[in-house]
Amino acid sequence: MSNLSLVSMRRGFALARSARSTSMKLLIPLLVALSVVLGAAPPALAQALDAPRAPGPRGQIALRAEPPGAPVELAASGPDHVGSFTIENQGDGPLKVTRVIVRTSPEDPRVPPGVSVELEGGGTSATLPPGASRKVVVRWKTAGVRARELYGHVVVESDAVSAGAAGALGVARTVAMGIHAERGSSLGFVGDHILSILTFLPLLGVVAVFLAHLLRYRDDRKLRLMTVVLMGVNLVLAAWLYAQFDRGFTRADGNDGYQFIEHGVWIRSLNVEYFVGVDGVSISMVLLTALISFVGALASYSVHDQLKGYFAMYNLLVTGMFGVFIALDLFLFFVFWEVMLLPMYFLIGIWGGPRREYAAIKFFLYTLAGSVFMLLAFIWFYLNAGHTYLVDGQATERIFSIPELSRVAWAAQGLTILGVAAVKVVWIWLFVGFAIKIPMFPFHTWLPDAHVEAPTAISVILAGVLLKMGTYGILRINFTLLPEATQWAAPAMAVFGVVNILYGAFCAMAQSDLKKLVAYSSVSHMGFTLLALGAMTPQGIQACLVQMFNHGLITGMLFTLVGVVYDRVHTRDIDRFGGLASEMPLYTALVGFAFMASLGLPGLSGFWGEAMTFIGAFPRYRALTILAAVGVILTAAYHLWALQRMFLGTFRASWRQSKYLEPFGGKFPEISGRELASIAPLAALVLVLGFWPRPLLSLIDRGALDVHRLVDRPGQSQIAGAPGADGVGGAAYARAGAPEEGASPGQGALASAR
């Protein structure tokens, strides 16, 4: 073949390739345009096709504050708080700032009232040439405002572009700057950081134990006193927190209804924040933790071996418990949850009874299994959070903040997991993790073993506080983040609650071990919290919180009393006793008092949780409520039967020869002053709250209503059709079920406010 022919062929191939390339260039836009018409093209691509090309150089926006990497601090200036930050144009062209606003709305009041923002010199819009800057002034008028602190964002909208392909398309950017202000408290620094101090003060005990070990300090008895002092200080601080807590504070007052907030970036690479605060849902649990921790420290005087390790683990456990109830970041919540798990494992496994290793491993495996489900759910929330901001204003698509995640319309996203609606799957993951901790049937089997083998003080902590973490987690996370799924699962929660009530009561009646009886009574009583939650009425949610608090007081008292008799004769077998009333009259009176409170006798605090549960659940689940009422009869039966077997009748003379009673002349010694001191505060609260529950109810009223508005907001037809809708009854129903002016809207409206 000649060279001329080869050249001709090459030219032909080149022309063909050119023609094919040209045709493809024409065909691709036609196909894309057709797919846009048919709705098949990705939204971003469709927007890119419609977006005009950016003409010439554009501005680049940057926000600057001092110190960098933190929210703008608003300082007191007369009656107001004022702060500022700077908008800079770092681009090659002009920057048009179209709007500077506070990130809030009447439907979603993220910040307290009175916050305003404007550019220096006036207005909320301006045009900045290249290299220019403009100061933004933020002002918080605090007159008449309930909030003591302010956390929020100022959003700056502009025509700035980002670098790269998006910038070529002229996509506008929205940036934000965090703002923060503190109005101060009567305790100064301590008051401003009260929650962190409550949480981490026990760690001083851990450090002290470590130093004592390094220095070979021998007088371990001083460690007991140190722990009691630390828990006492925490109890005093918790009392101050109770006094300063604003009982009328709601979501409409800003800060998502939380008080005593501390908020900062913790792990920036993962968008994890140190975010703590309390509201009407958590404040009672913080107070309960402080009280039970103090009682547990007094009860720990019965421990005599390896005191350094015991009190190190005890103080670490208290830190984990406080942290769970104040954490408002899912990652932080999970860290505190796991911090609580480890010391409890060692406290049971080392200082427990004969089967302590078995009980500790069973507790650890059950709780760890629940933690795995929780972690899966938290990761799902994190990966699907959507556009939002960290506390300092850094934009992010992934976050662990509970208030920010509560604004996502999860159900409306239509996400699925293995073909099932993701919100249902994730709700179940969370519920299983929390139900194990409650414990709910059939995940309850770890509890009796753990209680029987644990030392007295740890049984007090376990029943008084740890069980409440399960129901608290459901309220704080399931109800707040997944209200639609909560509505779907509510009947199942109610059914499981009734099963717990009856099953736990029957099991308690069959026990001869006094500690196991109290343990199964806890299973039964925690069933009332599940039934109350399943009702999803304002009274039901409030009943759950009341039952959690009062059950903590009563079971703490019961387990302390069980420890009193066990320390004397090293047995808890009910059938081996009899006639103890003649030997220990004061102890008998206290046990009778605690039993009456546990069975719900009117005039004692245990009555209110059960009564309010019936009131809240009966309108929704009449048959289930009637079955739950049978549990009250069973509860009275096993308590009175145990009381008769132990304290009434004839005293067994064989006890006179017991080796354990030899130091006391063969007689049962009466309850001691130290033991009485650990029981007295619990008994006093049980009695006071039985006749006057308002101090507790006033703490939780607003929090219960805020949660109810999220999960069970009635429509207009329901309000209009309610009995007495045109009169007093209808107005009261509207206040309890419908959002007040400025209160938090539903999930869909909240999502649009993002």
Side-chain angles (χ1 to χ4, degrees), residues 368-676:
L368 186 63
S371 299
V372 171
F373 285 105
M374 286 170 47
L375 183 60
L376 286 174
F378 292 172
I379 292 173
W380 183 84
F381 285 124
Y382 175 72
L383 295 178
N384 296 282
H387 183 72
T388 185
Y389 304 97
L390 299 180
V391 63
D392 61 355
Q394 176 181 315
T396 179
E397 298 294 324
R398 296 174 177 177
I399 201 168
F400 287 105
S401 169
I402 293 176
E404 290 297 325
L405 292 172
S406 69
R407 293 183 167 90
V408 180
W410 298 105
Q413 289 183 355
L415 300 174
T416 61
I417 298 176
L418 299 178
V420 182
V423 291
K424 294 182 179 180
V425 176
V426 174
W427 194 96
I428 293 173
W429 287 347
L430 289 168
F431 183 71
V432 169
F434 295 133
I436 290 173
K437 183 64 71 177
I438 290 176
M440 184 191 80
F441 176 89
F443 309 117
H444 69 286
T445 59
W446 64 267
L447 181 67
D449 292 315
H451 270 310
V452 167
E453 302 305 324
T456 298
I458 304 310
S459 290
V460 171
I461 293 285
L462 184 59
V465 179
L466 262 66
L467 303 190
K468 314 307 177 292
M469 292 180 180
T471 45
Y472 172 78
I474 294 172
L475 271 172
R476 174 63 72 219
I477 300 178
N478 289 64
F479 274 57
T480 303
L481 302 189
L482 300 173
E484 296 88 356
T486 301
Q487 293 173 349
W488 163 75
M493 269 195 298
V495 170
F496 277 116
V498 174
V499 170
N500 255 45
I501 293 169
L502 298 178
Y503 176 83
F506 278 117
C507 288
M509 190 174 293
Q511 302 307 312
S512 59
D513 186 312
L514 183 59
K515 208 172 189 182
K516 268 195 174 182
L517 182 148
V518 178
Y520 276 110
S521 76
S522 292
V523 174
S524 180
H525 283 103
M526 291 304 290
F528 285 99
T529 64
L530 281 173
L531 175 60
L533 289 179
M536 291 197 311
T537 57
Q539 298 88 350
I541 295 172
Q542 193 175 51
C544 173
L545 294 169
V546 170
Q547 179 72 357
M548 288 162 63
F549 187 86
N550 288 328
H551 178 262
L553 297 178
I554 295 168
T555 54
M557 186 164 51
L558 282 170
F559 278 113
T560 304
L561 289 167
V562 171
V564 169
V565 72
Y566 182 78
D567 288 343
R568 282 153 176 75
V569 292
H570 296 273
T571 184
R572 297 181 295 263
D573 191 344
I574 297 174
D575 295 325
R576 291 189 60 186
F577 296 102
L580 279 185
S582 60
E583 295 284 307
M584 307 172 70
L586 179 58
Y587 176 75
T588 302
L590 290 172
V591 172
F593 177 84
F595 276 6
M596 294 303 109
S598 183
L599 62 84
L601 185 71
L604 301 177
S605 66
F607 167 77
W608 293 108
E610 296 175 2
M612 292 175 65
T613 298
F614 296 146
I615 293 171
F618 191 77
R620 294 282 175 93
Y621 311 110
R622 297 193 174 186
L624 291 177
T625 306
I626 293 171
L627 286 175
V630 175
V632 176
I633 301 173
L634 297 175
T635 301
Y638 65 73
H639 278 113
L640 294 176
W641 189 28
L643 194 67
Q644 182 268 327
R645 286 183 288 169
M646 283 191 67
F647 299 99
L648 304 181
T650 305
F651 178 75
R652 294 176 181 265
S654 59
W655 281 112
R656 302 298 185 198
Q657 285 75 44
S658 172
K659 64 178 181 180
Y660 299 112
L661 296 180
E662 286 181 3
F664 310 103
K667 295 185 178 181
F668 278 84
E670 185 59 277
I671 187 169
S672 68
R674 191 266 305 169
E675 293 165 336
L676 188 61

Side-chain angles (χ1 to χ4, degrees), residues 198-265:
L198 279 170
T199 302
F200 295 110
L201 184 63
L203 289 184
L204 292 179
V206 179
V207 174
V209 169
F210 181 70
L211 293 176
H213 175 72
L214 291 180
L215 299 174
R216 302 184 184 277
Y217 185 73
R218 298 295 183 184
D219 192 0
D220 291 348
R221 292 174 299 178
K222 296 290 180 62
L223 297 176
R224 292 172 174 166
L225 180 61
M226 175 201 67
T227 302
V228 170
V229 170
L230 287 176
M231 298 304 111
V233 171
N234 258 7
L235 185 58
V236 171
L237 293 176
W240 182 88
L241 182 69
Y242 170 82
Q244 296 297 314
F245 184 80
D246 187 346
R247 290 152 179 76
F249 198 89
T250 68
R251 292 176 183 267
D253 294 304
N255 296 329
D256 293 290
Y258 296 104
Q259 303 179 52
F260 303 99
I261 298 172
E262 298 173 54
H263 198 177
V265 179

Side-chain angles (χ1 to χ4, degrees), residues 23-210:
S23 62
M24 290 299 292
K25 290 179 180 179
L26 295 174
L27 182 60
I28 288 175
L30 289 175
L31 291 175
V32 172
L34 180 62
S35 65
V36 170
V37 173
L38 296 177
L45 182 57
Q47 293 173 5
L49 290 171
D50 295 336
R53 293 283 173 175
R58 299 287 293 274
Q60 293 287 328
I61 191 170
L63 304 184
R64 294 286 180 267
E66 294 297 335
V72 174
E73 292 291 337
L74 307 187
S77 177
D80 304 335
H81 284 69
V82 181
S84 65
F85 63 93
T86 303
I87 303 175
E88 297 179 355
N89 180 6
Q90 298 180 346
D92 299 327
L95 171 68
K96 184 177 181 181
V97 177
T98 55
R99 190 166 60 155
V100 180
I101 57 171
V102 180
R103 190 175 179 235
T104 189
S105 67
E107 297 79 17
D108 181 19
R110 298 171 186 252
V111 301
V115 182
S116 61
V117 60
E118 67 175 1
L119 294 170
E120 190 176 38
T124 58
S125 62
T127 300
L128 305 180
S133 62
R134 192 78 172 270
K135 183 177 289 187
V136 178
V137 179
V138 186
R139 184 179 301 275
W140 182 27
K141 297 182 178 180
T142 57
V145 176
R146 306 187 77 117
R148 305 299 303 178
E149 63 267 315
L150 159 69
Y151 282 94
H153 294 96
V154 173
V155 177
V156 181
E157 299 176 356
S158 69
D159 65 347
V161 296
S162 59
L169 295 172
V171 179
R173 296 184 61 195
T174 300
V175 293
M177 175 62 71
I179 54 176
H180 170 238
E182 292 282 349
R183 296 173 64 183
S185 66
S186 58
L187 288 183
F189 176 85
V190 174
D192 293 341
H193 301 84
I194 185 70
L195 297 182
S196 291
I197 293 173
L198 279 170
T199 302
F200 295 110
L201 184 63
L203 289 184
L204 292 179
V206 179
V207 174
V209 169
F210 181 70

